[in-house]
Amino acid sequence: MESYVHQKDGIFKSVCSLDCPDQCGLLVHKKDGKIVKIQGDPDHPVTQGNICNKVRNMTERIYDPKRLKTPLKRTGPKGSATFEPVSWDEAIETIRTRWTELIEKEGPESILPYSFYGNMGNLTAEGMDRRFFHRLGSSRLERAICTPAGSVGYQYTMGGSIGTDPEDTTETKLFVFWGINAVSTNMHQITIAQKARKNGAKIIVIDVHKNQTGRMADWFIPILPGTDSALALGIMHVLFAEGMADETFLKEYTVGHEELRRHVLQYDPDTVAAITGVPREDIVELARLYGRTSPSLIRIGNGLQHHDNGGMIVRTIACLPAITGQWTVKGGGAIKGNTAFLAYNTKALQRPDLLNGRTPRVINMNQLGKALLEIDPPIRSLFVYSSNPAVVAPEANKVRKGLEREDLFTVVHDLFLTETARYADIVLPASSAFENTDFYTSYWHHYTQLQRPVIEKYGESKSNSEVFRLLAEAMGFDDEPLKDSDEEMIRQALDYPANPWLDGIDFDSLSEKHFVKAKRKAIFPERLPTPSGKIELYSKKMEQAGYPALPTHTPLLETGEYPFLFVPGPNHNFLNTTFSNNEKHIKLEKEPKLHINTKDAEEKGIENGDSVKIRNDRGECVLTAAVGENVLPGVVVSQGLWADKDGKNYLVNALTPDRLADMGGGATFFSGRVQIEKMD
């Protein structure tokens, strides 16, 4: 494959590596071997040359003087960030020695990898690392911090991660952005919606916070956190009661519509208004607008699934397009995710056969604090890459207490000395996406993309693939899959006849064209991957798993002395903790705020701009009050995961529960309660 590394000047096609549905095509400008500018690629059919501020300013991150250049070895107390540079040979040998001792004394399950999608390249996120840890026999990580609750819920209804093609939504006449701040997290769906609005489309936003997406809507509907399934059921009640259901579609393509029709009688508008905080008349108007507008699209957001009842919320909302028959209308339906269209051969990439029949214990990443402090037999070594659990994981104080353990040998592979890396024994410098070979599959649009190295490695940094090949060699593993090149792994992953949509997408076609679209057919009249082959409004599979077979609202679990529901949402200029330590992006985002309703602020004597302490039994943090009508009374919302800085306590995940959601082992970040008080 042609590399761009040795071409010192020019403009080169690339792809954005951030954990974002848009996965933009990029043009990278180089001068004297360095990136001087990043633009959107106008040739990309979906992203069409538009990119966000995060990526436009990516060079500030790549060439940040704080970026790591060499491996480091701890010389001071854990958490003090006292290190000295060492060679790669010494770093790898230190890891080998410690792991060999641990395996002999306590077995390989005393070692735990911890990673997520800080880089969405498939090789970087789930390639040689998975092969290595399978061969090692370490404890396995359930990577459930983001989407599993909603993905499982959606799967019960639709059978898999299949939805509307975003390119078809130019035809849409009603957009419902439900639980998604798309201006900040899915900007190209907003771009398409705004173009459609010029042709008469309406944009509705349903959310707990009137954020940037809410402010640009034709109609913003505020809702109490965790009550979205009740609102969806209330809409269904009106659709059936007023004859707006598509009976032909229901009979042909669904199971359980008669049971659902009877079931939603109990979710009348008055009952639903009392649960959700949405006025009765708004529920009726919303249902009528949805039932009478075609094509209509629901963009189901990630925020919804970060509740105790998150799986059921998504499962319930996913039933709505079936009732109105929108799945057979171009531009109609729903998008939760579209990963099924680009599904590749994960077994060939990850090689679970290297486990050799072993079944190591599985640890949910949402409960890292509990795992480090309570699990028996204990975790003795942690290898962290593409993640920053000291800030991103729930119950952050527990996590940090675990990281402080002197008997925990911690290795962190990252571009920066993150909050987690400050607790490490060995820190390894990571290469950026622009320095790696990788392939990318969007979870929103239907294009697979190839990344070629654009620049030389920064300092002595190495990719995840390189690090795990080095570790495999050091540990004496001579299995051939641990020696495969990046190109070989991409070829293996894309060789997947089981997914006919992937036909024509391979290493060679990507090398030639940079991005290739899935060969997608219409969802209907094809058989869905549900047990019945139809949309399951009534799910026997759910019943067998111990859930209600019909969509049902259940309240959040956390009650007690704390009066405010707390939702720590994303912000505009960071992506989780990526960019939170880069001065340019901090300057763009300004300061961390807590959005408080005017009524609540008055009762607490809090004014706009005051410092506010947020606390509960798990921890506390201090943010700046943003008083107004952007949230309902009884709700407070923060935005962004901010880096530890200058002794200020911005650690919102100190407050979040590590309970697991109703489905998929998902996180419950948005189901906690807090007290707030003005700081002196």
Side-chain angles (χ1 to χ4, degrees):
M1 179 183 70
E2 178 196 356
S3 170
Y4 300 140
V5 169
H6 302 300
Q7 300 178 49
K8 299 297 182 186
D9 302 288
I11 302 173
F12 307 95
K13 283 187 182 288
S14 185
V15 52
C16 178
S17 65
L18 296 179
D19 186 359
C20 167
D22 298 48
Q23 206 156 94
C24 298
L26 303 179
L27 294 180
V28 175
H29 297 243
K30 279 175 66 177
K31 185 172 175 59
D32 299 326
K34 289 185 71 174
I35 298 174
V36 293
K37 184 179 178 182
I38 297 174
Q39 288 182 306
D41 182 358
D43 294 335
H44 192 286
V46 181
T47 61
Q48 296 184 350
N50 298 312
I51 57 173
C52 69
N53 262 344
K54 294 185 272 283
V55 183
R56 190 175 292 109
N57 294 294
M58 182 74 87
T59 51
E60 303 275 344
R61 175 174 168 81
I62 295 167
Y63 299 115
D64 191 312
K66 298 192 296 289
R67 192 171 161 191
L68 298 172
K69 291 183 177 179
T70 65
L72 304 173
K73 189 173 187 176
R74 179 168 67 91
T75 57
K78 287 203 170 190
S80 67
T82 311
F83 297 95
E84 65 178 18
V86 294
S87 67
W88 270 98
D89 287 345
E90 182 177 344
I92 294 293
E93 178 57 21
T94 303
I95 299 168
R96 186 201 68 78
T97 302
R98 293 295 298 272
W99 281 1
T100 302
E101 291 171 358
L102 280 175
I103 290 167
E104 286 174 2
K105 289 179 183 175
E106 303 191 42
E109 288 183 43
S110 62
I111 301 165
L112 176 70
Y114 193 99
S115 72
F116 204 62
Y117 292 85
N119 179 329
M120 281 296 290
N122 293 310
L123 300 190
T124 300
E126 50 187 73
M128 194 58 71
D129 60 314
R130 305 296 175 93
R131 296 182 182 198
F132 173 80
F133 286 114
H134 285 149
R135 174 63 179 83
L136 189 72
S138 68
S139 289
R140 301 182 69 181
L141 187 72
E142 185 178 4
R143 292 171 172 84
I145 205 165
C146 188
T147 62
S151 296
V152 172
Y154 191 86
Q155 189 172 13
Y156 278 127
T157 301
M158 294 295 293
S161 183
I162 51 177
T164 306
D165 184 343
E167 290 181 271
D168 286 349
T169 65
T170 54
E171 309 287 325
T172 304
K173 292 299 180 189
L174 180 69
F175 292 86
V176 182
F177 288 93
W178 201 326
I180 178 171
N181 184 4
V183 168
S184 298
T185 65
N186 188 193
M187 65 171 280
H188 293 91
Q189 187 64 76
I190 290 290
T191 303
I192 295 170
Q194 287 176 320
K195 287 179 181 174
R197 181 151 64 176
K198 291 176 182 175
N199 294 321
K202 292 276 186 278
I203 297 174
I204 294 174
V205 173
I206 304 168
D207 213 321
V208 300
H209 175 213
K210 193 172 187 179
N211 48 41
Q212 284 178 277
T213 309
R215 292 196 294 273
M216 59 77 65
D218 295 303
W219 184 16
F220 173 70
I221 301 173
I223 187 170
L224 290 171
T227 66
D228 305 83
S229 51
L231 179 58
L233 290 159
I235 293 169
M236 294 180 203
H237 175 102
V238 178
L239 292 173
F240 283 122
E242 298 191 2
M244 290 182 282
D246 185 330
E247 302 296 344
T248 302
F249 183 91
L250 288 170
K251 287 171 186 169
E252 191 167 352
Y253 294 119
T254 75
V255 294
H257 60 95
E258 292 298 343
E259 293 94 327
L260 181 64
R261 193 186 308 261
R262 291 190 294 272
H263 175 68
V264 300
L265 289 172
Q266 63 189 295
Y267 292 99
D268 60 274
D270 288 316
T271 299
V272 171
I275 295 170
T276 62
V278 180
R280 180 194 191 284
E281 55 273 19
D282 286 357
I283 295 166
V284 174
E285 184 182 344
L286 173 62
R288 288 171 179 165
L289 191 58
Y290 182 71
R292 294 169 182 169
T293 310
S294 182
S296 63
L297 176 90
I298 303 176
R299 179 66 174 98
I300 303 172
N302 273 354
L304 300 164
Q305 65 204 343
H306 290 156
H307 283 296
D308 296 311
N309 54 7
M312 185 61 91
I313 286 175
V314 174
R315 182 272 196 278
T316 304
I317 294 170
C319 294
L320 284 168
I323 296 170
T324 55
Q326 283 299 306
W327 285 114
T328 55
V329 184
K330 187 177 181 182
I335 303 175
K336 161 67 171 72
N338 274 324
T339 55
F341 297 114
L342 298 173
Y344 50 86
N345 194 335
T346 53
K347 285 186 178 178
L349 182 58
Q350 300 180 13
R351 296 302 296 265
D353 55 296
L354 290 167
L355 281 164
N356 269 329
R358 296 169 295 186
T359 53
R361 63 182 173 180
V362 177
I363 293 169
N364 189 301
M365 70 187 303
N366 294 310
Q367 298 181 324
L368 178 63
K370 192 178 291 186
L372 292 178
L373 295 174
E374 300 172 20
I375 201 168
D376 188 40
I379 295 163
R380 298 294 189 190
S381 181
L382 188 68
F383 192 108
V384 180
Y385 56 104
S386 300
S387 186
N388 185 12
V391 180
V392 304
E395 288 260 26
N397 287 334
K398 236 191 240 185
V399 172
R400 294 187 181 203
K401 189 175 179 185
L403 291 171
E404 286 173 356
R405 281 175 40 203
E406 279 296 331
D407 66 337
L408 179 73
F409 175 64
T410 301
V411 182
V412 174
H413 183 214
D414 208 300
L415 282 76
F416 293 91
L417 196 66
T418 62
E419 290 78 3
T420 307
R422 295 171 69 90
Y423 295 89
D425 296 280
I426 295 289
V427 181
L428 305 174
S431 52
S432 75
F434 295 118
E435 297 152 48
N436 301 339
T437 298
D438 219 323
F439 78 108
Y440 291 79
T441 46
S442 171
Y443 50 91
W444 172 63
H445 63 64
H446 296 175
Y447 290 83
T448 298
Q449 302 179 76
L450 186 68
Q451 172 68 64
R452 300 171 177 175
V454 181
I455 51 174
E456 299 275 5
K457 294 274 173 41
Y458 186 85
E460 296 178 25
S461 63
K462 295 186 187 297
S463 70
N464 285 1
S465 294
E466 291 173 297
V467 168
F468 289 108
R469 286 191 199 99
L470 283 174
L471 286 170
E473 184 181 4
M475 297 296 291
F477 301 158
D478 60 0
D479 312 69
E480 286 304 315
L482 298 174
K483 301 173 186 176
D484 284 343
S485 69
D486 292 342
E487 179 179 329
E488 286 169 330
M489 286 194 289
I490 295 172
R491 288 187 182 277
Q492 293 158 11
L494 293 175
D495 183 5
Y496 195 42
N499 178 10
W501 292 313
L502 205 63
D503 184 40
I505 302 179
D506 55 29
F507 185 84
D508 295 324
S509 63
L510 289 171
S511 295
E512 179 189 347
K513 299 174 183 175
H514 304 284
F515 43 78
V516 182
K517 188 175 184 180
K519 284 188 166 54
R520 180 187 181 279
K521 298 177 184 175
I523 296 174
F524 297 98
E526 297 290 316
R527 180 183 170 86
L528 290 180
T530 57
S532 65
K534 298 182 177 184
I535 297 173
E536 302 211 337
L537 306 174
Y538 182 103
S539 170
K540 287 183 181 176
K541 190 176 178 181
M542 290 188 77
E543 199 169 41
Q544 290 161 359
Y547 300 107
L550 290 162
T552 304
H553 169 68
T554 53
L556 301 183
L557 296 177
E558 194 158 311
T559 56
E561 63 184 284
Y562 299 110
F564 294 95
L565 291 155
F566 175 50
V567 176
N571 67 16
H572 193 68
N573 292 292
F574 308 162
L575 207 161
N576 297 321
T577 65
T578 302
F579 306 113
S580 68
N581 63 346
N582 300 122
E583 294 304 324
K584 176 72 173 183
H585 295 80
I586 294 169
K587 190 175 179 182
L588 289 167
E589 194 62 35
K590 294 176 182 170
E591 65 177 340
K593 295 179 180 178
L594 185 74
H595 295 269
I596 307 168
N597 185 271
T598 304
K599 178 174 173 288
D600 294 327
E602 286 175 356
E603 288 178 2
K604 292 283 183 181
I606 295 168
E607 295 183 2
N608 197 56
D610 284 347
S611 288
V612 182
K613 180 188 283 186
I614 312 108
R615 62 175 176 83
N616 59 21
D617 290 345
R618 292 180 282 268
E620 62 181 44
C621 69
V622 178
L623 306 178
T624 300
V627 177
E629 301 300 316
N630 287 337
V631 294
L632 290 173
V635 179
V636 290
V637 173
S638 67
Q639 288 187 283
L641 299 177
W642 292 73
D644 290 358
K645 196 170 177 63
D646 304 328
K648 294 179 179 176
N649 180 10
Y650 297 151
L651 188 60
V652 295
N653 275 326
L655 300 153
T656 52
D658 65 359
R659 292 190 306 273
L660 301 182
D662 55 348
M663 298 176 194
T668 57
F669 288 113
F670 296 171
S671 286
R673 301 186 75 92
V674 297
Q675 181 59 279
I676 61 171
E677 55 197 47
K678 181 178 178 177
M679 294 286 288
D680 293 335

